[in-house]
Amino acid sequence: MIMNKRFLFSCLLIGSIAANLCGQDKPRVYILATGGTIAGIGASETSSGYIAGVVSVDKIIQSAPEILQLAQIKGEQVVNIPSQDMSEADWLIIAKRVNQLLSQADVTGIVITHGTDTMEETAFFLNLVVKSDKPVVLAGAMRPSTEISADGPMNVYEAVAVAASPLSIGKGVMIVMDDKILSADDAMKTMTTALETFKCPNFGFLGYLWDSKPIFTRNSLVKHTIHSEFDVADVDILPKVAIVYGYAGIDSLFVATAVRKGVNGIVYAGVGNGNPNTANLNALADAVKHGIPVVRSARTPFGPTTQHDEVDDDKYRFSASWFKTPEKSRILLMLALMKTKDYKEIQRMFVEY
Ligand code: GLU
């Protein structure tokens, strides 16, 4: 009996040393690559011209070999596109794969490499449909992989550090760029070319990275991931929602065309606090009468679009987007429309998510 216990202990010890040497005791992080500048190749080391979405996931992993000290890494190429070509079909593929991987007990977290142009949209979509509290982290780059001082490798390294950390559990889907950790609900690309382009303009960063470790300074209190009511497991196609961008002198042509083309919902990016002019107020009211829900959002970048300031939302049966930008409002409305067309119920969702 004593011999057996000693034998067992020795086996466990040898097993644990072997696992250690092979890195098997490390967190397991999947990198799902989708393209973008991080996978981009420039004409030279100094030129700003480049083609996004060329370099493969293996090359991205090789560009930051230090990630192997943080985690066991597995890479998958989901798509390889500039993120302006990201589509709802791609979102469904990514979301289903993320949910599949995170349901495996041995998967700690996921990093998604992505173009920065629509990164905040993919992150917000995932924030609403991922069914796990394990970390999901998007990362990208502002400089292509061939440029001097490319930012991609460090962003990937820091994204893996966040995805591998137990501190990141339950934080919702995050973006890691430029040493910052951003929540999917508030993150926004704010400058076309700068490295420090991503901000959380309404509520501030979730945290920072220091010495390869995430330091969280706040939580996002909106509903996300395991608390979300939205599920795309059996969904192949999402409702069609159009955004109409308001400006001085806009006529009702665009709302009318959206209605005629058979959209399922409209987000109006109004001026100021989401205000439509008179022509569009009437056109939007007509859309609602045709059974097409309308969400008033704002082209004004920061702050909430609130109910009942200059527009009587109850009278017109509009919902207001609160802190969601028009593009995030579109995503939330697409998911909301899978459940309801009731403006009050849609309003509840815009307040809660
Ligand atoms: N337009 C490209 C994209 O979004 C490049 C922008 C970037 O990744 O920084 O994929």
Side-chain angles (χ1 to χ4, degrees):
M1 185 67 184
I2 291 170
M3 279 291 285
N4 279 349
K5 266 192 181 166
R6 275 198 187 141
F7 179 69
L8 187 64
F9 179 73
S10 307
C11 287
L12 285 175
L13 190 64
I14 291 164
S16 112
I17 290 168
N20 226 330
L21 288 175
C22 302
Q24 276 167 16
D25 60 335
K26 290 200 173 97
R28 182 183 288 256
V29 172
Y30 272 76
I31 298 183
L32 306 185
T34 70
T37 295
I38 196 166
I41 288 188
S44 78
E45 289 185 358
T46 50
S47 77
S48 58
Y50 68 97
I51 306 171
V54 180
V55 169
S56 71
V57 65
D58 298 333
K59 284 267 171 357
I60 292 172
I61 293 170
Q62 281 162 25
S63 75
E66 296 81 0
I67 58 177
L68 298 172
Q69 292 161 16
L70 299 173
Q72 302 173 70
I73 301 289
K74 284 212 163 177
E76 280 183 23
Q77 194 75 48
V78 183
V79 285
N80 208 355
I81 53 174
S83 73
Q84 57 267 40
D85 286 337
M86 192 56 67
S87 67
E88 296 91 340
D90 295 320
W91 286 343
L92 289 171
I93 291 168
I94 296 167
K96 287 174 187 178
R97 185 62 184 141
V98 166
N99 280 329
Q100 214 172 34
L101 288 171
L102 292 183
S103 69
Q104 296 171 22
D106 63 343
V107 176
T108 312
I110 292 180
V111 169
I112 300 171
T113 58
H114 198 290
T116 57
D117 288 0
T118 60
M119 185 186 279
E120 69 219 50
E121 289 175 62
T122 301
F124 184 58
F125 181 75
L126 293 175
N127 206 36
L128 299 178
V129 300
V130 165
K131 299 285 164 214
S132 170
D133 63 359
K134 294 179 186 176
V136 177
V137 185
L138 283 83
M142 290 301 288
R143 291 181 180 147
S145 64
T146 44
E147 202 169 315
I148 294 174
S149 197
D151 52 334
M154 187 49 137
N155 289 338
V156 168
Y157 178 77
E158 293 191 333
V160 170
V162 172
S165 170
L167 297 175
S168 307
I169 294 169
K171 297 277 194 255
V173 175
M174 292 167 274
I175 288 177
V176 167
M177 291 282 291
D178 196 34
D179 303 332
K180 321 281 189 319
I181 309 168
L182 304 97
S183 63
D185 68 286
D186 199 23
M188 183 191 241
K189 185 176 184 178
T190 61
M191 291 175 79
T192 50
T193 55
L195 289 193
E196 73 277 23
T197 181
F198 276 90
K199 311 273 184 219
C200 284
N202 291 303
F203 308 115
F205 301 118
L206 280 187
Y208 297 81
L209 277 122
W210 178 249
D211 219 7
S212 318
K213 288 177 197 63
I215 296 165
F216 286 99
T217 51
R218 73 168 194 90
N219 278 323
S220 167
L221 297 180
V222 294
K223 276 190 180 171
H224 57 71
T225 56
I226 53 170
H227 303 293
S228 168
E229 64 207 88
F230 305 113
D231 190 347
V232 291
D234 299 318
V235 174
D236 294 322
I237 186 151
L238 291 161
K240 208 164 188 51
V241 173
I243 300 174
V244 177
Y245 190 94
Y247 51 87
I250 184 174
D251 68 28
S252 56
L253 171 75
F254 305 104
V255 170
T257 305
V259 171
R260 212 174 47 246
K261 290 283 181 189
V263 296
N264 305 110
I266 296 173
V267 172
Y268 190 81
V271 295
N273 191 353
N275 290 315
N277 62 5
T278 307
N280 277 282
L281 184 64
N282 294 333
L284 293 167
D286 267 0
V288 171
K289 281 182 196 138
H290 282 89
I292 300 169
V294 167
V295 171
R296 277 193 314 107
S297 188
R299 69 175 203 182
T300 318
F302 314 137
T305 302
T306 55
Q307 293 154 268
H308 310 309
D309 269 12
E310 289 188 65
V311 178
D312 185 344
D313 291 299
D314 279 333
K315 176 175 162 196
Y316 295 105
R317 286 178 286 138
F318 297 157
S319 314
S321 71
W322 283 85
F323 287 95
K324 298 291 161 274
T325 56
E327 50 277 19
K328 286 186 184 167
S329 299
R330 175 176 168 269
I331 290 167
L332 183 47
L333 183 54
M334 287 191 305
L335 293 170
L337 288 172
M338 297 191 313
K339 296 184 157 276
T340 184
K341 286 172 88 172
D342 180 77
Y343 82 100
K344 283 195 172 155
E345 183 61 357
I346 293 171
Q347 186 62 68
R348 172 190 68 76
M349 293 168 178
F350 272 85
V351 173
E352 289 184 0
Y353 292 88

